[in-house]
Structure formats: C-alpha cells, structure tokens
Amino acid sequence: MALAERLTRLGTETAFAVSLAANEWGAKGHRIYPFHLGDIDLATPSVVTEAMNKAIAEGKTGYCPGAGVPVLREALAEDTNARRGTTYTADNVVVQPGGKPVITKFLQAVMNPGEEVLYPNPGFPIYESQIEYLGGVAKAYRYVPTERGFAIDLDQVRSLITPNTRAIIYNDLQNPISAESTDAEREAVAQLAIEHDLWVLSDEAYFEMRYSGESKSISALPGMAQRTVILYTFSKKFAMTGWRLGAAIAPLDIARVISTMNTNNESCTTQFIQYAGAAGLTGDQTGVKAILETLRGRRDAAFDVLSTTKGIHIAKPESTFYLFPDVTEAMAHKGVDEVNAFATEALHATGVSFCTRKHFGRPQPGEERQYVRFAYSGLPEEDIREGLGLLKQWIES
C-alpha cells in the first residue's frame, strides 16, 4: 500500500546518521571520540531532579493543562522578561515537549502550502525538513565568513523576499556555526520583517550558553514582540536533552493556536517534568553555572588544538558548544576533495567523529570553502585534547 506523498519531503537530523557510522566503527573495537552529536554528558542540576522526584511523590503524574502548568508558564515569562527586556505574561507561554515542536507548530500556525519561509543555511536541518514537509517553499539564506566568525548575508536575504514570503527563521547564537548577530545585524533582520510583514521564529536554544558578553533577543526590538515566536528549550542550559522540555513564547493569538495544537498532538507535556523545569528557573543556580564553566573549559581545550592545527582556520566563538572550522587546506594536504570523505577518513584514522557542512542543509551555489562541525559538549577535556591531538597528528602527517 502507498504511503503519503508528503513523506518524500521529510528530512531528518543528519547528525544521527554520523552517530550510526561512528557506532559501527566503534563496534569493531576502535576508540571513538564523539564530536558529532550536540548532546551533553553532564548531570542535570540536583535542584531539577529533586523537584521532579518531589512532584512524582505528590502524584503530579496525570494530565495537566495543554498550555502547561501555571507555575512553569509564570516562571518562564518572568525569566524571559528579566533576561530579554520583554513584557510577556504567562498567557504568552505555551509549554512543549522539547524545543523542536515549536518549529513545526510555528510553521503550521503561520504558513500556508506554497508560501515561502526563509531559513539559515548552514543551519539546524529540521527547519528545511519541516518547511518542505508541510508544503512550504524553503528558501535558504547564507552566512559569510568574517574575522569574528560568520555574518548573515543581508543582501541575499533582501533578494530572497517576495510577496509570497510568509516568515523568516532566525537563529541568533547559531547551530552549527556558533554565529552571533551584532546589534546592527539583528536590527536589520527586524527591519526586514517589519517592512515585509513577516512572522519571525527566533530560535534561542543557546541564548544562555555563552562565555562572555550578554545575549539579546530580536523579540525585544520595537515592533517585534507581536510578530515573533521564541523557541525556548531547557535542553542546553540545564543539561536536560533527554527530558524533552521547552516552550513557545509567542503573541497571544499564536499562543492560543499552539495550545490547541498541543491538545491535538500530545495532550500535554509531562506534568512532573514541568515542575522540575520551574524549579530549575527559580531555584539555586549553582549547577547551571557549573555546567557553563565546564563547557567553557571544553571550548578552550578544543580551540587550543584546532587553532594550532596546520590547514585549519577557526574563530573563537563566545557562545553555543560548537566549533565550525574551515578545513579546506587540511583536506588538500590529505589529498581529499570531498568533505564527507574527509570525515570518514578521519574517523578511521583517528577515531574522531564529526559532522560536516553538508549535514546542515544543501550547500548553496558559490560555496568554495569546506567546513566541519565539532560538538564539544559530550566529552571531558582530557578526551577532547587526546582525540583532537590524534586528528592534528593525522592531518599534519
């Protein structure tokens, strides 16, 4: 029997394919250094786990409101306002089982089949997957390298907007390239959204995963709160990747729609996990600070080795937990001209597993340089230095 035609347009998170290849190589007895998947191997702060256990003991294991329990929605609104300078209330917050559902529900709420949505490329592959799966037209905008990292090609963004463009997905503190907008770039994106009456999905998954400076949200700019949906997730800050807890923070009309979608899709997010998340936001922050400091040390370790490896060029990011170096010269030195083949050879020679630019959207015309992504969130510093040291030796040999 035939399956639905739309399934032909459904993509996936391709980092998991790299994980499969790494696991297969490891099953043959080889040591693996897993830089491919942006998971966190650190413990969730005790304030969160203790609150979960307390909620379970108190019987908070049944259904709850589709939009989320009031204590969490209120805590999220207060925390968001304090960190972003916004004026949301609990009514603007709709709790989700993770951050990913916000992407799908945002698109379902604002995009009709055949309408265009702009999205970052390289970028999180689920953007492209969901736009096309839901019948939209995915239009990729690119980044250009600068001395400080990467910047959005604003001229290209302008050229992509048509009367059929409905929304733009904007990922400040970006996965995979760790790019962070300047104030001028953020304001330019906001101005384009206002000028062309576009909805904005502001993916802020890494808003608090930063090592210096202060994060800013496009939603706080004049005229943006009423057209922006913030994607919030507990996965990064609280090392809760497997707990599946997030939220859409949205204008009231969109919040109500997404709440109805919750009722249709999953009824509600697990109740006792919501109480745990509320405790994380309002309770002792010692564990959160420890996670960030550990990640800082891992970033420094990875950068130290990669930045001194012949043929690798990299800027030092102040946010996320990824490094996205240019490996064009390293590939040429090894006599490899295809980036995925380079990754495979590196895995077999050193055990170091990483994603490539091709795992984060279809390469755009004119791309000449080759990039790979290292996620350092799942390895201790000792393993980072050891694994990347082996990679350095292999590249330079």
Side-chain angles (χ1 to χ4, degrees), residues 16-135:
F16 289 104
V18 181
S19 182
L20 178 62
N23 290 339
E24 290 176 348
W25 186 245
K28 297 178 180 179
H30 303 284
R31 171 71 186 276
I32 301 298
Y33 300 90
F35 288 91
H36 53 271
L37 196 59
D39 202 354
I40 304 177
D41 68 337
L42 304 173
T44 302
S46 59
V47 67
V48 175
T49 56
E50 289 170 3
M52 180 199 69
N53 290 333
K54 181 175 183 289
I56 292 174
E58 292 175 349
K60 294 181 173 67
T61 56
Y63 290 125
C64 63
V69 298
V71 66
L72 177 57
R73 297 172 71 198
E74 290 165 3
L76 274 168
E78 291 177 6
D79 188 78
T80 298
N81 293 339
R83 298 180 186 279
R84 291 165 175 80
T86 50
T87 56
Y88 294 113
T89 70
D91 290 336
N92 296 107
V93 178
V94 188
V95 179
Q96 303 293 314
K100 275 182 182 175
V102 180
I103 301 171
T104 302
K105 292 171 184 175
F106 167 81
L107 293 170
Q108 288 176 316
V110 307
M111 182 195 76
N112 295 304
E115 291 182 331
E116 301 164 350
V117 176
L118 277 56
Y119 72 99
N121 182 344
F124 190 46
I126 303 304
Y127 303 147
E128 181 181 88
S129 170
Q130 286 300 295
I131 295 168
E132 295 185 342
Y133 176 69
L134 295 170

Side-chain angles (χ1 to χ4, degrees), residues 346-362:
L347 172 65
H348 293 170
T350 69
V352 174
S353 177
F354 52 84
C355 293
T356 75
R357 184 268 178 268
K358 292 184 177 180
H359 293 105
F360 300 99
R362 307 178 187 108

Side-chain angles (χ1 to χ4, degrees), residues 206-210 236-237 292 295 318-321:
Y206 297 90
F207 191 84
E208 293 171 65
M209 306 310 296
R210 60 175 311 119
K236 321 304 179 186
K237 175 182 177 180
L292 190 59
L295 291 174
E318 293 301 327
S319 62
T320 79
F321 38 68

